[in-house]
Amino acid sequence: MKKILITGGAGFIGSHVVKLFVNKYVDYHVFNLDKLTYAGNLENLKSIENSPNYTFIKGDITDGLFISQLFENQQFDGVIHLAAESHVDRSIADPMAFIHTNIVGTANLLNAALKIWEGHFEGKLFYHISTDEVYGSLGENDAAFTEQTPYCPHSPYSASKAASDHLVRAYYDTYGLPTVISNCSNNYGPYQFPEKLLPLCINNILNNKPLPVYGKGLNVRDWLYVKDHADAIDCVFHAGEKGQTYNIGGNNEWRNIDLIEKLIEITDNQLNRPKGTSQKLITFVKDRAGHDLRYAINAKKIHTQLGWCPKVAFDEGFALTVKWYLDNSDWLKNVTTGEYQNYYNKMYLERK
Ligand code: NAD
Ligand code: TYD
């Protein structure tokens, strides 16, 4: 039985990847290593928590000794590394947490993998999950990011992810550690923590609270349904070429303001509220510092070389996502108590 370590498996994307692998690959044993920060939630994994091919390990990737002992004891065959501090606004408020987890944490995992695999790399893989934000910002008419686009990160979050990508490449180039990286655009879907744009706005529509639009709402993001990203990760893990990078995206660019208007339309409709009810909640607030104007992904390489492309049409994924949050108001309530209230007050009341 192959032993696969997935880090950050209690978070948004990680929980979808863990569930996919546990259900699809009964000949793998999936170990989910997660610190359970504010963003990690074992509720996300209820459907597989008792599966015989699944084990949860609570732990911190910044603890080098713990990580090296874990690798020595378990002798993993593969690593899919998603654990990270992931929210740009938090990285602006507290960059050190990002530097520790995203850079030092990744280095600890690379060192531990190298130590147990050195001399017999065959059949082993260290897969690092990264973001399109490492490429920086595009102008309105610029061509989309390719795998050749030079790195130009602007936020502490994207700079820390860029640093970790560079470390992964350095371990491939220097030691021959079998690695692969993918850089994906903005994900949306069930179980996303409501600090990110879409779940935050759904929660606020439900509670008749302001929808904070940064600046003029003209920034553009490419959106991909999270299960499509999990499928892409499955594809890269099994077919990706060592030492390569794959861009993953939805070919689905939206200006923030247009996306919020669409969200209002769908959410009001699903709540049986008259059309346009929540329009009045749109509130333009102070812009994010260093706010990247536009991200767009050219995903030709993963499509032509590995055969992956998104399956879920945006209208379908978007409606499913809104429905999931409305049907799972207990989940939303549970994650928005306590620490979340302090965060929300700090971020938004001070922005007005
Ligand atoms: P998330 O914030 O929802 O989840 C991160 C998980 O990592 C949480 O479960 C958290 O508890 C865990 N974690 C954080 N610090 C840890 C530590 N020190 N040790 C162990 N576990 C720790 O993030 P997400 O949105 O699911 O993103 C997952 C990965 O995908 C990240 O690496 C992120 O950079 C990348 N990514 C995210 C997006 C997106 O749109 N969300 C897009 C592209 C790439
Ligand atoms: P976010 O979900 O934080 O993802 P990222 O910054 O990684 O792209 O933000 C998506 C876009 O929405 C980004 O341009 C910032 C903007 N935004 C708002 O306008 N209001 C908000 O409350 C949030 C959280 C984000």
Side-chain angles (χ1 to χ4, degrees):
M1 209 175 204
K2 274 198 162 192
K3 289 184 167 186
I4 310 297
L5 175 70
I6 299 181
T7 70
F12 167 47
I13 302 170
S15 61
H16 288 278
V17 177
V18 166
K19 284 181 276 194
L20 176 72
F21 272 65
V22 167
N23 289 323
K24 187 169 170 185
Y25 299 107
V26 287
D27 52 335
Y28 288 176
H29 195 101
V30 175
F31 293 81
N32 170 16
L33 168 65
D34 199 295
K35 183 181 173 184
L36 299 182
T37 67
Y38 76 91
N41 187 351
L42 291 177
E43 286 285 307
N44 303 359
L45 296 155
K46 275 259 168 266
S47 67
I48 53 102
E49 68 183 2
N50 296 319
S51 300
N53 63 334
Y54 171 71
T55 303
F56 175 70
I57 303 162
K58 188 171 189 296
D60 187 339
I61 60 168
T62 68
D63 182 343
L65 182 62
F66 162 73
I67 292 295
S68 71
Q69 286 172 348
L70 178 69
F71 275 66
E72 292 280 347
N73 292 338
Q74 295 296 348
Q75 298 289 318
F76 302 116
D77 299 290
V79 176
I80 305 178
H81 173 37
L82 296 107
E85 288 291 340
S86 69
H87 187 42
V88 174
D89 293 322
R90 286 189 193 249
S91 83
I92 294 167
D94 179 16
M96 287 314 288
F98 287 69
I99 287 156
H100 287 303
T101 289
N102 299 0
I103 307 177
V104 177
T106 302
N108 284 334
L109 293 165
L110 288 164
N111 283 331
L114 181 62
K115 203 166 156 204
I116 63 160
W117 295 344
E118 204 160 21
H120 49 101
F121 287 145
E122 196 55 39
K124 308 289 190 281
L125 184 65
F126 188 104
Y127 179 11
H128 180 56
I129 307 302
S130 192
T131 166
D132 60 357
E133 305 193 20
V134 297
Y135 296 122
S137 183
L138 294 167
E140 254 173 58
N141 299 314
D142 290 343
F145 301 130
T146 70
E147 289 79 1
Q148 276 71 48
T149 304
Y151 275 30
C152 186
H154 295 125
S155 72
Y157 165 66
S158 54
S160 67
K161 292 296 290 187
S164 59
D165 289 6
H166 287 316
L167 280 170
V168 173
R169 282 199 194 94
Y171 274 63
Y172 174 79
D173 291 339
T174 309
Y175 309 109
L177 187 78
T179 62
V180 68
I181 299 173
S182 59
N183 297 81
C184 188
S185 58
N186 288 56
N187 286 211
Y188 70 95
Y191 300 105
Q192 187 170 33
F193 193 79
E195 63 186 352
K196 306 274 167 60
L197 179 66
L198 287 174
L200 183 137
C201 286
I202 296 171
N203 191 37
N204 285 12
I205 293 174
L206 274 171
N207 294 298
N208 274 310
K209 284 165 95 173
L211 308 180
V213 182
Y214 296 172
K216 295 190 171 132
L218 301 180
N219 302 67
V220 174
R221 298 291 182 265
D222 172 68
W223 294 92
L224 178 70
Y225 191 58
V226 64
K227 291 190 180 177
D228 274 327
H229 188 192
D231 281 345
I233 289 173
D234 180 12
C235 176
V236 172
F237 183 73
H238 289 99
E241 195 183 320
K242 314 274 184 306
Q244 290 291 309
T245 289
Y246 297 89
N247 279 356
I248 302 170
N251 197 18
N252 179 37
E253 289 181 53
W254 286 82
R255 293 192 317 179
N256 291 340
I257 188 67
D258 299 334
L259 191 72
I260 291 170
E261 301 228 345
K262 184 165 175 77
L263 184 72
I264 288 172
E265 189 189 313
I266 293 177
T267 312
D268 279 345
N269 181 271
Q270 291 196 15
L271 286 169
N272 291 319
R273 291 178 181 172
K275 197 166 187 240
T277 305
S278 304
Q279 280 284 344
K280 60 177 183 299
L281 299 177
I282 290 182
T283 308
F284 291 94
V285 298
K286 195 171 151 210
D287 208 352
R288 174 186 279 173
H291 197 173
D292 287 338
L293 177 65
R294 176 174 163 243
Y295 304 139
I297 280 276
N298 178 333
K300 216 171 169 178
K301 179 174 174 184
I302 187 171
H303 179 54
T304 54
Q305 295 187 10
L306 306 185
W308 175 88
C309 56
K311 290 197 199 95
V312 181
F314 186 61
D315 278 351
E316 184 196 345
F318 211 58
L320 275 175
T321 301
V322 172
K323 184 171 182 322
W324 186 87
Y325 285 96
L326 301 190
D327 288 349
N328 290 275
S329 51
D330 283 351
W331 183 93
L332 210 44
K333 257 193 212 121
N334 287 345
V335 299
T336 51
T337 50
E339 200 266 351
Y340 183 80
Q341 291 308 324
N342 301 334
Y343 167 80
Y344 186 84
N345 291 341
K346 186 168 177 315
M347 283 291 169
Y348 294 105
L349 301 183
E350 283 175 10
R351 253 182 209 279
K352 278 191 177 168

